[in-house]
Amino acid sequence: MAYLVYVLCALTSLACALLLVRGYREQRVKLLLWAGICFIGFALGNVLLIIDVVIGDRQDLALVRSMPVLAGLLVLLYGLVTES
């Protein structure tokens, strides 16, 4: 059951990213681009979480799966600071 929730979270993050990037292409508001890139990082983190659950006890990917999320948050923070 948890696996299904992880997949749904990844799909939701990917859908948000696609909608934000599409909004950026239409309106050219830079904050939409930064938020879209952030959600791409969230989606990658969720995909890596799914891979970590599938691999199981063989290897812990906690640090690896946190990197895209951190990168996405840093991109969003950069966008918020530069657009203010």
Side-chain angles (χ1 to χ4, degrees), residues 33-70:
L33 176 65
W34 301 125
I37 293 172
C38 179
F39 271 93
I40 290 171
F42 291 164
L44 286 174
N46 285 324
V47 168
L48 289 173
L49 176 64
I50 294 167
I51 292 170
D52 192 15
V53 169
V54 170
I55 289 175
D57 295 333
R58 288 185 269 168
Q59 194 170 3
D60 184 25
L61 298 176
L63 184 61
V64 174
R65 73 176 187 239
S66 298
M67 290 301 186
V69 176
L70 179 62

